Amino acid sequence: MAPNPSPAAARIDPRDPPEPYLSFWRERRVCTLTTLRPDGTPHVVPVGVTYDPAAGVARVLARRTSRKVLNILAAAGPDGPGARVAVCQFEGRRWATLEGRAVIRREPAAIEEAELRYEERYERRPSPNPDRVLIEITLTRALGKA
């Protein structure tokens, strides 16, 4: 028998989150991104994340040669392209996790949109980077207590 989920860990519709959850994702916060290395071990790094519930995606800007990008590219498997990933943020007892399948996007328009959303959340434009790619996470689950 599986253990009961923690009452503090509320499941949330990633496309229709309650206002406190969405508001928490609008605050200027450093987040973490968890990917899996080819050997199956977790790789956790600090990142900036933007959350777009209307589109059902989260976005992370990255350098194309970074370990997180390489992990995602290496994860294409029998259940489709991309990698299962999670992004998370917390402050005290408030926390929020978004899970989904990540792919790497290289289209300039997609990167530009992600940069604008980053600027909106983090109140600064990312420095120009010709090696920039977008990690786009199609969301499947949201959890948290905001």
Side-chain angles (χ1 to χ4, degrees):
M1 175 187 265
N4 289 333
S6 164
R11 268 205 171 185
I12 294 159
D13 180 348
R15 289 183 153 273
D16 187 24
E19 183 52 40
Y21 189 83
L22 186 56
S23 179
F24 187 44
W25 276 105
R26 289 183 184 131
E27 294 175 11
R28 189 173 188 268
R29 302 226 166 270
V30 174
C31 304
T32 61
L33 168 70
T34 303
T35 61
L36 295 178
R37 296 181 184 97
D39 69 3
T41 59
H43 178 254
V44 183
V45 292
V47 294
V49 177
T50 61
Y51 174 31
D52 182 354
V57 300
R59 295 175 179 93
V60 176
L61 295 167
R63 192 180 71 251
R64 68 178 171 81
T65 57
S66 67
R67 171 51 46 200
K68 58 189 164 282
V69 169
L70 297 175
N71 288 344
I72 292 165
L73 291 171
D79 54 343
R84 292 182 181 181
V85 301
V87 290
C88 182
Q89 65 180 25
F90 73 95
E91 177 192 46
R93 293 177 180 243
R94 297 187 310 159
W95 62 276
T97 299
L98 298 169
E99 298 177 9
R101 186 167 291 277
V103 295
I104 303 304
R105 304 224 13 220
R106 294 178 175 84
E107 304 92 336
I111 294 169
E112 173 71 17
E113 179 180 355
E115 289 172 341
L116 291 171
R117 290 175 180 274
Y118 180 97
E119 183 177 17
E120 183 179 296
R121 182 175 187 192
Y122 291 98
E123 301 171 347
R124 72 172 188 84
R125 184 78 175 184
S127 302
N129 182 346
D131 289 332
R132 180 167 289 138
V133 295
L134 168 61
I135 299 171
E136 186 175 79
I137 306 163
T138 300
L139 301 173
T140 57
R141 182 179 302 171
L143 301 164
K145 183 176 186 223

